[in-house]
Amino acid sequence: MSTDAQGGAGSAQGATQLFESLHGRAPQGVWASPGRVNLIGEHTDYNEGFVLPLAIRQRCVVAASAADASAGSSVTSAQRPGETIRFTAATVSPGDVDGWAAYVAGVLWALREAGHVVGELDLVVDSTVPLGASLSSSAAIECAVAAAAAGLVGIDLDATQIALLAQRAENDFVGMPCGVMDQMASMHGKPGQLVFIDTRSLAVENVPFDLSGHGLALLVIDTRAPHALVDGEYAARRRDCEQAAQRLGVPALRDITGAGLDDALARLDGPDDETMRKRVRHVVTEDDRVLEVVQVLRSGTDPRAIGPMLNASHASMRDDFEITVPHVDVAVDTALSAGAVGARMTGGGFGGSIIALVEQDAAESIAQAVAGAYAERGWEAPAPFVTRAEQGATRLA
Ligand code: ADP
Ligand code: MG
């Protein structure tokens, strides 16, 4: 198992070389922004609640230069070989660019919509974040492009402002109604720290995440189950939550506290309200679990104490929010049977990756146990790696 899934990639070099071979000149600058793992707090961000992600080592690198206004903008991805997508940043609108390049064109559109003059750009991206594995390759590419555009032109935007523009690109240009967690994690990540976000106020606090000091490791397993968040399920969950908040007369489900949960559930008493009750119970209990985990980690006590909260989060996603799939449940159950301290699916769901808090010297055997369970079922082998909290968006050259 790799402890550094990035290998030699993820440096400025790959994107720079591709840029030079395509454009016959060196890029004016190179930026990078990472993917993320969410430790806990799933589907709470668009309910204005709490999330606790960390930026990971895998990241999207963007080599960029200004282009002539007459030439328009271009983007090439090392992950989409042989394809260069062209559009005019000065006029591009939602619907004009689809497919993967929408994540890029959408960022330039969102910058323009916010009143920033970016001009036309040549962009080359190269990412080590696996695409569609719930590790947020989408926020990585958006934030890297946004940081590159702002950096090249000298637009003064802070990390949260860039995250919000990137989210706007995904919501209104790509058409995926995601919350703001992924972009905030990609921008605000710090080595050895979790990013604790109150998604209502957008207040960010770093929380120390020292696992190795306690003999622990964070194992990520990309289940490689087919997953597509842009399909309707994510949007359907979001709609359920918004309808529930409306029925309960609160601005967002964040406003229902753990103490008020029973009362709220009792008010959703129609014959067809069972699903809505389950959605509400997930969001409200998940917010509480985030706060509990933050408290444990801040107090400096043994991080093993968060294991049961990770497990409870998974059960809640499986039974109440109904966003897990067999690949994910088998990975979590097998990791726990093989000795993990705690485990849960991470990210929006319907596939993607799981995380397991493990004793350092058990990471390998737990990963093997999950691979064995997959082999028994005739499933494609999962991709495990050990991760730790890394730096958010940064300029490389
Ligand atoms: P996740 O964010 O969990 O990886 P998403 O479905 O939100 O999954 O985003 C994945 C999509 O983002 C890809 O299908 C592709 O359209 C786009 N994308 C991300 N990174 C790249 C890249 N390096 N090159 C091309 N497209 C990318
Ligand atoms: Mg995504």
Side-chain angles (χ1 to χ4, degrees), residues 14-259:
T16 301
Q17 279 171 2
L18 184 54
F19 190 100
E20 286 171 352
S21 72
L22 285 167
H23 298 289
R25 63 188 200 281
Q28 286 173 278
V30 184
W31 285 260
S33 207
R36 61 100 191 92
V37 153
N38 188 20
L39 184 66
I40 196 161
E42 220 63 76
H43 287 260
T44 47
D45 58 354
Y46 57 77
N47 289 299
E48 301 186 16
F50 304 103
V51 292
L52 193 61
L54 54 135
I56 57 176
R57 180 183 297 263
Q58 291 85 343
R59 61 188 184 178
C60 184
V61 176
V62 176
S65 280
D68 283 346
S70 59
S73 291
S74 75
V75 59
T76 310
S77 166
Q79 283 67 54
R80 295 284 184 268
E83 209 185 339
T84 291
I85 307 294
R86 296 179 191 284
F87 59 92
T88 305
T91 57
V92 74
S93 297
D96 292 349
V97 178
D98 55 14
W100 67 270
Y103 292 84
V104 175
V107 165
L108 302 191
W109 167 80
L111 279 160
R112 198 183 80 221
E113 283 277 295
H116 304 296
V117 180
V118 174
E120 304 299 331
L121 301 175
D122 286 320
L123 301 161
V124 170
V125 311
D126 187 7
S127 183
T128 51
V129 188
L131 272 54
S134 285
L135 302 175
S136 205
S137 69
S138 56
I141 190 173
E142 291 154 7
C143 291
V145 166
L152 259 186
V153 183
I155 304 168
D156 190 22
L157 291 169
D158 67 24
T160 295
Q161 288 172 312
I162 289 185
L164 289 169
L165 286 171
Q167 183 203 14
R168 172 125 206 254
E170 190 154 342
N171 287 169
D172 297 340
F173 201 101
V174 175
M176 161 63 190
C178 59
V180 78
M181 168 174 71
D182 298 354
Q183 293 81 5
M184 288 290 275
S186 191
M187 293 306 304
H188 283 281
K190 293 275 174 299
Q193 309 271 322
L194 295 161
V195 187
F196 173 42
I197 307 161
D198 177 337
T199 65
R200 171 168 278 168
S201 68
L202 294 178
V204 174
E205 286 175 53
N206 290 115
V207 174
F209 195 44
D210 174 23
L211 294 184
S212 57
H214 290 88
L216 290 166
L218 190 63
L219 175 64
V220 181
I221 301 179
D222 171 4
T223 68
R224 292 189 165 151
H227 118 128
L229 276 187
V230 184
D231 75 11
E233 292 289 351
Y234 188 100
R237 291 302 179 285
R238 184 167 182 160
R239 245 183 348 260
D240 287 348
C241 290
E242 284 165 359
Q243 275 171 11
Q246 212 170 20
R247 286 269 305 276
L248 293 167
V250 290
L253 290 184
R254 167 355 176 344
D255 296 299
I256 309 291
T257 61

